Amino acid sequence: MTTPPGEVLVARAPAKLNLGLWIVRKRADGYHDLVTLFTAVDLYDRLHVRLKPSRITLTTNERRLPTDERNLVVKAARALAEAADVSLGAEFRLEKRIPTGAGMGGGSSDAAAALLLLDRLWDTRLSRARLLRLAADLGSDVPFFLKGGLQLGRGRGTRLTPLKPQAGLEFVVVHGREPIDTGWAYSRYERELTASTPPPSILALAGGGRLSRTALMHLDNHLEAGLVPDVPDIAERKRLLTSLGARVALLTGSGASVYGLFATRELAHRAHLRVARAGWTADLCRSVSSGVVVEGG
Ligand code: C5P
């Protein structure tokens, strides 16, 4: 049964951090095979939807975002309508809190939220595997948000292995002054692309290993070095977080945000205040074990 007309469904769409990102090789299709360690964090967009007879519309509080078919929410809705052979419409309202062009997967999480909401609203009865394939076609990070928690991503980032649950990880995420385009960030990756592999301590996580001190020491982001010449404040923000006690400070995804991992909430809280006082926009976040959640469902 489809959800009755007028009833509003709401999804909570979390942000992600890439604790690490290792590029393995460039592929013939232009993408890069990588290994990445994803975690969902408790910074959320909210996506509201109501059934409409035909059109798909979107409004948002973030004025800089397109609301037409360039928006991943609209793309996800169209892709799902086609896959499920549905001719119904939907009216979306997106409450944006996750910064865009930050490497925190906001657009991808919104797309995953649109898939889950419409799957419910339109009663599509598509299999989980089909939804995951649609998600991967929308973007490399979208499948992660259907799962959430801590996952090792391989291939384009869409082949996911859930990792051992981890006690809450405490982060301060310091945002950049300007967004970074993902395609541009990958094009800046200029290391000799002979095949590389991530350290064994990271690959061991997929076999049930813990996020040990050694694994934390080996975290890296291969996209960082290519971006620093054009975005020197990446290095500045990393130094600031390290000086405030972060055990690890790295770019998330293709940036522009930089995360710091702290041993306790108290340390993270203090660092967050100092970072804000230094004039940066930042969020205090903790890892969460879920992905997109349809509320009340
Ligand atoms: O998959 P998504 O749309 O998020 O990717 C945006 C861009 O990032 C791609 O067009 C590609 O240039 C780059 N990318 C890549 N390898 C990946 C993921 C993204 O080269 N694994």
Side-chain angles (χ1 to χ4, degrees), residues 30-34 108 136 138-141 155-157 182-184 186:
Y31 280 90
H32 295 78
D33 276 331
L34 46 83
S108 303
L138 289 164
S140 308
D141 291 340
R156 225 173 9 109
T182 304
W184 179 76
Y186 276 93

Side-chain angles (χ1 to χ4, degrees), residues 51-65:
L51 188 63
K52 286 280 155 180
S54 56
R55 272 158 38 93
I56 291 160
T57 60
L58 170 67
T59 53
T60 174
N61 62 325
E62 172 53 85
R63 273 190 251 132
R64 284 164 295 189
L65 274 187

Side-chain angles (χ1 to χ4, degrees), residues 134-178:
L134 274 176
D137 288 344
L138 289 164
S140 308
D141 291 340
V142 183
F144 167 74
F145 289 103
L146 294 179
K147 297 179 175 249
L150 191 64
Q151 306 262 348
L152 203 68
R154 278 177 279 200
R156 225 173 9 109
T158 58
R159 269 183 19 233
L160 298 165
T161 309
L163 302 188
K164 271 220 171 103
Q166 180 84 32
L169 299 168
E170 308 290 350
F171 301 102
V172 175
V173 187
V174 188
H175 306 306
R177 307 255 188 241
E178 299 289 338

